[in-house]
Each structure stands twice: as structure tokens, then as C-alpha cells.
Amino acid sequence: MGGPMTQSIVLKWGIVSTGRIADKFCQDMAYVENGEVTAVAARNLKSASDFAAKHKIDKAYESYQTLFDDQDIDIIYIATPHNFHFKHVRDALSAGKHVLCEKPITISSKEFSTLSALAKKKNVFLMEAMWTYFLPSLLKAKQWVNEGRIGTIKHIKADFGYLVPYEPEGRMYNPDLAGGCLFDMGIYPIALAQYFNSGPLDGVIVKTQFAPNNVENDVAILASSGDVTLSLATSFQCRLHNAALIIGDKGYIKIPNFWRAKSCSLYQLDEKIAEFKDNSPGSGLHFEATAVGVAINNNQLEHSNMPHSVSLLLQQQLETIRSNC
């Protein structure tokens, strides 16, 4: 996390898109003390105006570029479909805005490298919105690992899947919108594995099933990262266990609903020896928004929890998995 703020500025946020995740983000901004949403842009003015009215946002724009050019806006939150991220992030950075972009931030490592270089050139903050990395329950689990409470990590198991009815024109399945369960849900177990054991994937074995339009709708991944075995899965076909296990030679940590974790438990053999529960309000998106505000106030261009190097690694891991589908 960033250090103490020397001069705290309440950042003015602009929102790109009015979809479900943008709606949740704006709801959680009520719990952010160092930021406020002051503008929103959508593909049509009615959508932007309705969203602005719902969340009491001052300005609504029909043009994304108009939002990027608004001199009163400090930072842009981008929540459009994956395949539009590159253009929208690039345009926002080019306008000199700090950017928080939903995951996956791009759909290739080449795209991300371009954005990372642009952010550094423009001297602005850029982060992939891996909100899971900022949740108190994940931070507690990482603390237990760092304290040696489970010994040396041997296995990481994580899956995330929900039944998503097949709609070839919908965002989740549309190949023109970078649809498929790997980008949409699979990024979470892959990122979870990286959070506890960073490094490239080796010996990747992928079992994939496809929807009628050839978009993947069920992916199981077996791989190693150093001496750690990874067992990961994602699916549009069914609800998976949706939990994570971090298993060491002295114990293990169980994290239910790990992508939005509200608790975690520490075990030695079959005995639960510690439990953490997060009773904070909101969905959890406010933790990353607050952390971004702290980093920007500290003149940091990256956040240590989710630096550019991790986003690049995740893109490379996604490419490795896709090449084995």
C-alpha cells in the first residue's frame, strides 16, 4: 500500500460506461473519502443522464472524448467491454488523465505494453482494476502466508463459474466483444494464483469446451509455477465451487467467494485455528478506489499491489492458456 498522504486531494472521477460494474463502482464510491464521481459518459446521452441522476453525478456526456477533455476530471474509471479497453485507456492517457481500467485491462500483452509506456510518457497513474487484491480478507490471507502460518505453498486451487445462458450477441459470448469465460471470469482464479505465487506458468494443460459459436464456455487449467501446482477453472456452463485454497506443507487457507472475499480461514490439518471476517459496508470496490487515491496523492504512477509488471504477467499467462485451449 502507499505511504501516508502528504497533501490529500479529493480526486474527481469520471466514469466511462453505465453497465453493471460501473453501477456497483459508483455505489461503493459513497465509502471513498479521497474521491468523488463528478461526470459520466456513455454511448448515448439518455443512458448517461439516467445514470447521472441515479448516482447524483453532476455531468453527463454522450462522448467519451468530451469526458477525457474535461479539465475538472482527475481520473477516469473505464468499465466498457474488454475489447474497447485499449482505445479508451489510450485516449484517456493521451488527454493526461489518470486511469483505473476494469480487468482484463487489455486483450494482449502487446496492447498493455503500449499503454504502460504511454502512461509513463504522460507521467500519469495507470492501474488494472483488480479489486480482489485490495480486499481485507485477501490481505489477511497474504499476511498469514508471509508469516509462515501454512509453511511452504505446494498447491493453489481456485475456480470461478456461473451459469450464463448462451446468447451469441450478448457481451459474454460475443467474439467481437472479446467474449468467453476466460477473459470474463477466468481472470480471477488466474490473478488469485499470481497473488500468492507470482511467476510464469509451466507445463500448462488446458481442457476447454466451446459454445456453438466457438467461444470457450468452460476452461480447466493445470499448471505449475515454480514448485507450486495450480488447479484453476472457469465456466459459463455451471456454478463452480467459487472458492480458493492456498495449501502449504503446514496448513491451508480457505477463501470462500475469493473474488469478492468477505472472509478467510486458516487451518492446520482439519482444525480451523484462525478466521477473519470483513464486516465493512459496500461490495468492496471502494478499497481499490481509496488505494488509487492514496497512490496518486503520493505522486505514484503505479500501485504496489497491482503494478504494471503484474498486469503484463497476467496478459502473458492468458496468452499461454489461450494457446493451449
Side-chain angles (χ1 to χ4, degrees):
M1 301 290 286
M5 290 183 283
T6 55
Q7 182 180 5
S8 180
I9 299 171
V10 176
L11 299 178
K12 294 181 178 179
W13 288 75
I15 309 297
V16 171
S17 180
T18 56
R20 180 180 56 83
I21 190 66
D23 184 67
K24 274 192 168 185
F25 185 85
C26 286
Q27 290 178 32
D28 274 13
M29 283 297 294
Y31 307 107
V32 176
E33 295 183 359
N34 60 8
E36 60 180 351
V37 179
T38 59
V40 59
R43 287 177 296 178
N44 66 76
L45 187 57
K46 184 181 187 306
S47 178
S49 298
D50 290 347
F51 191 90
K54 177 179 180 180
H55 294 285
K56 297 179 173 60
I57 299 170
D58 292 339
K59 293 180 279 190
Y61 295 127
E62 188 171 19
S63 162
Y64 296 147
Q65 191 61 49
T66 304
L67 174 62
F68 302 152
D69 292 337
D70 186 334
Q71 295 301 305
D72 292 331
I73 298 299
D74 300 306
I75 180 168
I76 302 293
Y77 169 69
I78 294 172
T80 49
H82 319 313
N83 60 305
F84 295 121
H85 286 177
F86 176 78
K87 173 177 169 42
H88 295 155
V89 172
R90 182 195 63 196
D91 291 349
L93 294 174
S94 296
K97 296 294 191 270
H98 303 299
V99 174
L100 175 67
C101 179
E102 269 308 325
K103 79 212 79 61
I105 189 168
T106 55
I107 56 175
S108 75
S109 57
K110 181 179 179 181
E111 284 188 349
F112 179 73
S113 295
T114 299
L115 295 179
S116 176
L118 178 59
K120 291 169 184 175
K121 178 182 177 182
K122 301 293 287 188
N123 199 40
V124 291
F125 181 91
L126 172 64
M127 193 182 88
E128 183 171 10
M130 192 59 68
W131 65 299
T132 302
Y133 283 8
F134 296 86
L135 297 174
S137 295
L138 263 288
L139 298 176
K140 174 57 71 173
K142 189 72 170 284
Q143 178 187 333
W144 285 339
V145 170
N146 292 341
E147 291 172 349
R149 303 288 294 276
I150 65 170
T152 300
I153 295 178
K154 296 297 182 181
H155 287 265
I156 297 175
K157 301 176 182 290
D159 55 38
F160 182 29
Y162 277 99
L163 175 63
V164 179
Y166 179 57
E167 295 180 11
E169 298 304 317
R171 182 188 69 80
M172 307 285 265
Y173 281 97
N174 191 335
D176 294 332
L177 298 178
C181 61
L182 188 59
F183 274 147
D184 198 86
M185 296 183 186
I187 184 66
Y188 282 104
I190 295 168
L192 185 283
Q194 190 286 142
Y195 183 73
F196 288 98
N197 186 74
S198 181
L201 302 181
D202 298 310
V204 178
I205 300 173
V206 182
K207 174 65 176 177
T208 312
Q209 297 182 42
F210 297 93
N213 65 347
N214 210 36
V215 166
E216 81 279 351
N217 63 3
D218 193 278
V219 181
I221 305 155
L222 182 64
S224 60
S225 181
D227 295 328
V228 179
T229 299
L230 310 179
S231 305
L232 313 173
T234 184
S235 183
F236 283 169
Q237 293 187 6
C238 56
R239 187 197 186 282
L240 298 177
H241 191 209
N242 294 346
L245 289 172
I246 317 303
I247 304 170
D249 55 7
K250 294 181 180 178
Y252 69 91
I253 298 168
K254 183 176 182 180
I255 313 172
N257 297 317
F258 67 90
W259 77 99
R260 62 181 183 191
K262 283 286 190 179
S263 67
C264 58
S265 300
L266 175 64
Y267 291 81
Q268 285 183 353
L269 294 179
D270 295 324
E271 181 184 359
K272 183 192 294 187
I273 61 171
E275 184 175 22
F276 173 83
K277 290 187 177 181
D278 170 25
N279 296 314
S280 59
S283 300
L285 295 166
H286 54 293
F287 293 114
E288 70 172 357
T290 297
V292 166
V294 172
I296 291 173
N297 270 292
N298 283 332
N299 298 313
Q300 296 170 352
L301 302 184
E302 302 181 41
H303 196 286
S304 58
N305 281 29
M306 190 62 195
H308 293 196
S309 59
V310 171
S311 289
L312 179 60
L313 177 61
L314 291 177
Q315 286 293 321
Q316 292 168 338
Q317 291 180 343
L318 284 166
E319 289 170 343
T320 297
I321 293 165
R322 292 182 78 190
S323 69
N324 283 275
C325 283

